[in-house]
Amino acid sequence: MQQVLIVRDKKYEQHLEGVPHLESPKRIKAMNAVLQDPSLEGRLQFVEAREAAYEELAWVHTVEYIDRVAQSAGKRLTSFDFDTQATEKSYDVARLCVGGVFSLLDEIRKGRGKRGFACIRPPGHHAEPDRAMGFCLFNNIALAAEYLKRVHSVRRIMIVDIDLHHGNGTQKAFYLRNDVLFVSMHHFPSYPGTGNLGEVGSGRGEGYTVNIPLSKGQGDADFARLIYFVVNPLAQAYQPEIILVSCGFDLYLYDRLGTMRVTPDGYGLITFFLLAVAEKVCDGRIAFVMEGGYSLRGIRECGLRLMQELCEESHVDPKSIDRVLGSSPAKIGAVAKMREIHKKYWSVFR
Ligand SMILES: [Zn+2]
C-alpha cells in the first residue's frame, strides 16, 4: 500500500489574512478539509515544513527581488502588481512554502514514500526570478528543482504544469537549461500571455521547454490524452529521476477564473495517468505542488479525487481509461502542431 507524504501547515492561512482576494486562505482550508476525509484515513504521512533560507531563494530569485519581498514583512499591505499582494506575514509564509516542498522532497529521497503532495499557498509558478506575478511570490516548484539538483544531486527533473495558466516563471527559470524538462498545458491566449508553441527553450535548453497551448473547453479525456500521448513519451525519452507537478485546480469546470471543463473525476483520471508515467520512468517518484484553483468546491472535490488516486483508493472508471488509450492525440489541434515543432528534438514525435 502506498503511503502518501503530505506537507501542510496552519501558517499557510496567514498570507493575505483578512484581505479580500481570490487567492484566499479559504483555499488552503478547503484542501486541509480534504485531508480529513475518511477514505484517506491511515494513508497519509505528514511532513513538517521548514522555512527556506535566503540563500536558497537566491538559487532562482535575484537578491534585489528577495529584499523587496522581505521588506513587506510586518507591513499591513504591499502590492507588487495589480493582483499580487503581501501582508504582514507573507514573506515568512512564502519561505515556508518553498521550504515545505524541500522537506517533502527530502522524505521522498530518503525513501519514506514515493508520492507527495505539498498543500501550500501562496502559489509559485508565475513568480519570475525578479518579479512577483499572478498571486505568486517565490517560485516554489522552480526552487524545488534547484534543491533536488544542488542538495540531492538529481541530474534530470521533469516539471509538468497542469494549472490552467502558463507557468511563465518556471519556464523562465530553466529556459536555457537541459537539466529540467518543463512541459506546460494551459489555456492560450490567456493570462499571463506566454506559453505559445514557438517557446521551446534556447541555447542548451532548446527543446527542453514544451508548451501545449489549448483552446478553451477541454475536458477530462482531453487532459488525460495529453498526459498519455505527450507527457508519457517525453518522460520515457528524457528519463527524469523524479516528476514534479505544478498542480492547479483551475481546470475545474466551475472555477471562478476557469475556461476548461474538467470534473472531479477528470482530476482522478489525470492523476491516474501521471502516476502511471512516474511508475514507468522514475520508480513512481512524483511530487504534486499546489498552484491555482479558485472555486472552493472545486478544490474540495477535485482535491479529494486526486488524493484518493494517490492513496490507491481508486474510483477511476476503467471505461474512461480505455477511451483514452484507444483514442488519438490528433483530437487536440495543438498536439499535432507541438509534435511537428518538437520532432526535431524528440524522436518519439517523429
Ligand atoms: Zn492558474
Side-chain angles (χ1 to χ4, degrees), residues 1 15 36 164 172 203 211 237 308 329 340:
M1 202 209 294
H15 165 63
Q36 306 297 326
L164 171 71
K172 206 163 202 178
N211 281 303
Q308 286 171 332
E340 193 53 37

Side-chain angles (χ1 to χ4, degrees), residues 125-126 134-135 161-166 191 248-251 255 257 291-294:
H125 75 152
H126 294 306
F135 315 158
D161 190 321
I162 61 165
D163 189 276
L164 171 71
H165 306 98
H166 180 238
Y191 184 86
F249 290 112
D250 40 10
L251 302 176
D255 190 88
L257 295 180
E291 300 282 1
Y294 306 98

Side-chain angles (χ1 to χ4, degrees), residues 210-247:
V210 180
N211 281 303
I212 312 160
L214 301 164
S215 53
K216 66 180 183 182
Q218 313 282 338
D220 298 355
D222 299 310
F223 283 96
R225 274 189 206 105
L226 290 171
I227 306 298
Y228 184 68
F229 290 107
V230 178
V231 173
N232 176 40
L234 278 171
Q236 289 193 59
Y238 186 64
Q239 292 287 311
E241 292 165 65
I242 184 168
I243 297 174
L244 305 178
V245 181
S246 261
C247 181

Side-chain angles (χ1 to χ4, degrees), residues 73-348:
K75 294 187 185 141
R76 200 184 65 79
L77 192 69
T78 304
S79 276
F80 296 96
D81 69 9
F82 184 72
D83 26 56
T84 314
Q85 281 80 30
T87 46
E88 283 99 334
K89 294 178 179 158
S90 296
Y91 175 59
D92 288 342
V93 176
R95 285 193 297 146
L96 192 67
C97 282
V98 175
V101 185
F102 292 173
S103 303
L104 179 67
L105 296 171
D106 286 339
E107 297 303 313
I108 292 178
R109 293 293 293 179
K110 271 189 238 159
R112 193 169 150 211
K114 290 179 181 175
R115 303 175 173 180
F117 189 97
C119 192
I120 58 174
R121 68 178 276 279
H125 75 152
H126 294 306
E128 297 196 341
D130 58 355
R131 71 189 278 214
M133 259 180 88
F135 315 158
C136 303
L137 297 176
F138 297 128
N139 196 315
N140 305 311
I141 207 157
L143 284 158
E146 282 291 348
Y147 184 74
L148 284 169
K149 204 179 136 69
R150 291 169 188 248
V151 176
H152 290 290
S153 310
V154 173
R155 281 162 307 168
R156 286 180 313 280
I157 298 145
M158 182 170 189
I159 299 178
V160 182
D161 190 321
I162 61 165
D163 189 276
L164 171 71
H165 306 98
H166 180 238
N168 58 293
T170 315
Q171 170 170 301
K172 206 163 202 178
F174 304 114
Y175 207 64
L176 304 175
R177 288 167 44 175
N178 60 7
D179 53 351
V180 177
L181 171 59
F182 176 63
V183 184
S184 180
M185 47 196 80
H186 44 267
H187 183 202
F188 185 90
S190 177
Y191 184 86
T194 48
N196 210 347
L197 285 162
E199 296 164 31
V200 297
S202 172
R204 196 186 286 184
E206 193 176 337
Y208 293 89
T209 291
V210 180
N211 281 303
I212 312 160
L214 301 164
S215 53
K216 66 180 183 182
Q218 313 282 338
D220 298 355
D222 299 310
F223 283 96
R225 274 189 206 105
L226 290 171
I227 306 298
Y228 184 68
F229 290 107
V230 178
V231 173
N232 176 40
L234 278 171
Q236 289 193 59
Y238 186 64
Q239 292 287 311
E241 292 165 65
I242 184 168
I243 297 174
L244 305 178
V245 181
S246 261
C247 181
F249 290 112
D250 40 10
L251 302 176
Y252 176 60
L253 79 167
Y254 302 123
D255 190 88
R256 291 169 73 186
L257 295 180
T259 51
M260 297 300 175
R261 296 174 46 191
V262 177
T263 67
D265 279 342
Y267 270 87
L269 191 66
I270 291 167
T271 307
F272 171 88
F273 279 99
L274 282 169
L275 292 175
V277 176
E279 287 297 336
K280 214 179 294 177
V281 302
C282 48
D283 195 28
R285 283 185 292 270
I286 187 164
F288 290 72
V289 178
M290 192 161 155
E291 300 282 1
Y294 306 98
S295 154
L296 298 177
R297 184 178 160 196
I299 292 174
R300 275 196 306 271
E301 295 185 0
C302 301
L304 179 61
R305 289 295 296 107
L306 180 148
M307 212 53 79
Q308 286 171 332
E309 279 310 304
L310 291 184
C311 292
E312 295 182 334
E313 204 33 67
S314 182
H315 303 285
V316 170
D317 178 5
K319 276 189 217 136
S320 49
I321 297 169
D322 288 344
R323 264 198 299 275
V324 172
L325 298 177
S327 68
S328 148
K331 287 208 155 198
I332 305 170
V335 172
K337 289 184 204 148
M338 182 282 299
R339 288 163 72 118
E340 193 53 37
I341 289 172
H342 278 276
K343 69 182 184 190
K344 169 167 151 201
Y345 313 113
W346 300 97
S347 62
V348 287

